[in-house]
Amino acid sequence: MMLRRGFILFLPRLVGLLVVACCSMSIVYMLACTPKGDNQQLAFPRVHSLTVKEGYEAVLQEREEQHRNYIVSLKKQIAQLKAELQGRTEQLKKMQNQYPDPLDIWLDHSNPQKAQANLLAFLRSQVDKAEVHSGVKLSTEYAAVPFESFTLQKVYQLETGLTRHPEEKPVRKDKRDELMEVIELGVGSLNKPEGVSNAKHRVYTASDFVEGIYRTEKNKGTLYELTFKGDTKHQFKKIVLFRPFGPVMKVKNENVNMADTLINIIVPLAKRANKFRQFMQNFREMGIQQDGRIHLTVVYFGKEQVNEVKSILENTSRSANFKNFTFIQLNEEFSRGKGLDVGARFWKGNNVVLFFCDVDIYFTAEFLNSCRLNTQPGKKVFYPVLFSQYNPSIIYGHHDSIPSLEQQLIIKKETGFWRDFGFGMTCQYRSDFINIGGFDLDIKGWGGEDVHLYRKYLHSNLIVIRTPVRGLFHLWHEKQCLDELTPEQYKMCMQSKAMNEASHGQLGMLVFKQEIETHLQRQKLSSKKA
């Protein structure tokens, strides 16, 4: 009885479990066997419609049609890309024919006529590429290439430096010849106007030239716009000329091995032991540790502080295991030219690069390589333009402390200037120095001897390399201009002293210091009242 009652109670549960199991199996079957589209499940064939097989065939045909359409679309895109590529290729070829590659315009001795035609085409293309007929879009106001103006006598220029003036007569022969040539061409063009018969007309001369402007785009050429007097007071003649730059041509391709090129640094000195100690720290790091192909010659004048200077040399020799130095003592009045001349002639080894240096100079290992690369016996001498440091007390006066020397050596207009009026630091081979005649030993004291030597090289057949360098610095020191100097030497010394202190802006702040402080006090009082 009890067993029967239990079975009756369990039977509904068993039926329920069987129903749930059947439903679950049906769902699994539908998920596994029903085909799906790209983004959604395909519908089951309905009753009274197509059979299941016909439904699947219809789905497959639809998918096949979709793939065919996709393939056709891809083929069209590929064809369009090929056509565009072909068009771009033809356009590039056309441009190459119109503007030949400079490398293809080098003299071709096998076909000189073609080379000449290519060169002419290139020069004409320079006019089209330059800013002559129309302007170009520039990113900033500083990207514009400014013009400079000129008359028959003067040039008015923006980039002046310390040895050039806002208004000056052209000193360099190449600049004088350039401007006179374009004026003559302008006069010739006016006297031979195009499309005019042999009838009488006015004859122009250089005296009719009013003014001109010119500017140079470094990779294209120089544009000149010349203005001449016209037939009446308010009429003018305008001539536009363009000097196109030719293609770049390879002149030389050589390997330069400087592994065994020794530099003899010659330093004339009198007293200034503390400065010499600072110089030797720089010499040890850059010359001995980083470069290693170097000799030092110190020519010392007098007896005062000589033992201290010798001690600095000997300490460096012991600590750095450095033996390549020479100490020469002269018991006479200091003469920079005499010291450098004696040091150069004292060398008895093979031909060597001489670097004439001062004790207040800081150089880098990169500069020493520049010294080697820009000198060649019987060919080239090197006259670097060094960067001269302003007075650190003025530059960093508003700081809590003056930075270290290495941190001060930054090339900016607030920290110093290119010393383009100085010719004392120079590199040349000893053979060239001896052959040119060395220094003028009649010059005593400060200044003059370096300019005299520089002029000797300019009057010779040697190439003088004159360029600013980033690894050569003149360290600031207070300059004393002695009464014993000649008027010309004293003037040069005072000019150098004036340039050494600070920039125009910084000197202006010193001049107007009281006015600035008064303004700040007024501002402070006003803020308190408010």
Side-chain angles (χ1 to χ4, degrees), residues 405-471:
L405 177 60
E406 288 73 15
Q407 292 175 322
Q408 294 178 34
L409 300 179
I410 302 173
I411 299 177
K412 291 183 178 180
K413 66 178 181 179
E414 296 85 7
T415 60
F417 62 95
W418 291 115
R419 203 180 186 88
D420 58 353
F421 58 82
F423 306 94
M425 308 314 125
T426 173
C427 300
Q428 65 267 288
Y429 271 85
R430 182 179 181 273
S431 58
D432 293 327
F433 176 77
I434 299 298
N435 292 336
I436 208 72
F439 283 104
D440 184 353
L441 300 183
D442 293 331
I443 299 175
K444 305 295 182 183
W446 185 93
E449 82 290 333
D450 51 354
V451 179
H452 190 267
L453 179 65
Y454 182 62
R455 289 172 179 165
K456 281 185 176 181
Y457 282 125
L458 293 177
H459 296 158
S460 73
N461 292 324
L462 295 173
I463 300 173
V464 177
I465 307 295
R466 179 76 167 159
T467 179
V469 291
R470 65 183 185 278

Side-chain angles (χ1 to χ4, degrees), residues 149-154 179-180 182-184 186-187 190 202 204-214 224-230 236-237 239:
S149 60
F150 65 98
T151 63
L152 282 175
Q153 302 296 331
K154 298 287 181 68
L179 297 181
M180 289 308 300
V182 296
I183 292 173
E184 290 173 1
V187 170
L190 289 173
R202 175 181 171 179
Y204 289 87
T205 65
S207 61
D208 294 312
F209 177 66
V210 178
E211 68 173 0
I213 60 174
Y214 71 99
Y224 308 88
E225 296 187 9
L226 311 179
T227 303
F228 291 85
K229 297 175 184 177
F236 299 93
K237 294 286 188 179
I239 300 293

Side-chain angles (χ1 to χ4, degrees), residues 283-434:
F283 178 86
R284 175 174 177 169
E285 180 183 354
M286 300 297 173
I288 301 175
Q289 297 176 354
Q290 294 192 28
D291 188 86
R293 298 155 292 164
I294 207 161
H295 186 96
L296 176 64
T297 299
V298 178
V299 182
Y300 195 85
F301 289 81
K303 297 180 179 180
E304 190 175 351
Q305 299 185 12
V306 65
N307 292 329
E308 188 175 353
V309 169
K310 284 183 177 179
S311 176
I312 295 170
L313 266 176
E314 291 169 358
N315 289 338
T316 303
S317 175
R318 283 194 300 270
S319 60
N321 193 25
F322 179 73
K323 306 298 181 184
N324 294 337
F325 70 91
T326 302
F327 185 85
I328 304 171
Q329 186 174 359
L330 301 177
N331 294 320
E332 55 185 87
E333 181 185 359
F334 176 80
S335 169
R336 184 177 186 273
K338 176 70 176 291
L340 294 172
D341 199 273
V342 169
R345 297 179 187 276
F346 190 84
W347 178 262
K348 303 303 179 185
N350 296 329
N351 199 11
V352 66
V353 177
L354 303 177
F355 171 32
F356 295 153
C357 189
D358 287 339
V359 73
D360 49 14
I361 295 298
Y362 182 97
F363 59 85
T364 65
E366 288 77 14
F367 167 75
L368 296 177
N369 269 333
S370 297
C371 187
R372 294 182 177 95
L373 291 168
N374 289 291
T375 54
Q376 188 176 345
K379 190 81 173 180
K380 293 189 296 186
V381 295
F382 186 37
Y383 270 83
V385 180
L386 52 80
F387 192 76
S388 192
Q389 181 191 32
Y390 287 139
N391 187 343
S393 299
I394 297 177
I395 300 172
Y396 305 102
H398 60 288
H399 290 204
D400 295 334
S401 61
I402 296 177
S404 65
L405 177 60
E406 288 73 15
Q407 292 175 322
Q408 294 178 34
L409 300 179
I410 302 173
I411 299 177
K412 291 183 178 180
K413 66 178 181 179
E414 296 85 7
T415 60
F417 62 95
W418 291 115
R419 203 180 186 88
D420 58 353
F421 58 82
F423 306 94
M425 308 314 125
T426 173
C427 300
Q428 65 267 288
Y429 271 85
R430 182 179 181 273
S431 58
D432 293 327
F433 176 77
I434 299 298

Side-chain angles (χ1 to χ4, degrees), residues 76-124:
K76 287 182 179 179
Q77 292 180 35
I78 292 172
Q80 290 175 355
L81 289 173
K82 284 183 178 180
E84 186 176 353
L85 179 62
Q86 181 67 24
R88 293 290 178 89
T89 303
E90 292 176 358
Q91 186 179 5
L92 180 60
K93 287 181 179 179
K94 184 177 180 181
M95 291 179 64
Q96 288 176 341
N97 293 332
Q98 185 177 1
Y99 304 117
D101 189 337
L103 297 178
D104 295 334
I105 304 178
W106 292 348
L107 294 179
D108 183 5
H109 297 289
S110 63
N111 193 346
Q113 291 182 347
K114 181 180 179 181
Q116 186 176 3
N118 286 343
L119 178 59
L120 184 60
F122 176 82
L123 295 177
R124 287 174 177 167

Side-chain angles (χ1 to χ4, degrees), residues 182-183 185-186 189 222-226 239-243:
V182 296
I183 292 173
L185 287 171
S189 178
T222 303
L223 173 66
Y224 308 88
E225 296 187 9
L226 311 179
I239 300 293
V240 178
L241 302 174
F242 188 76
R243 187 192 302 272

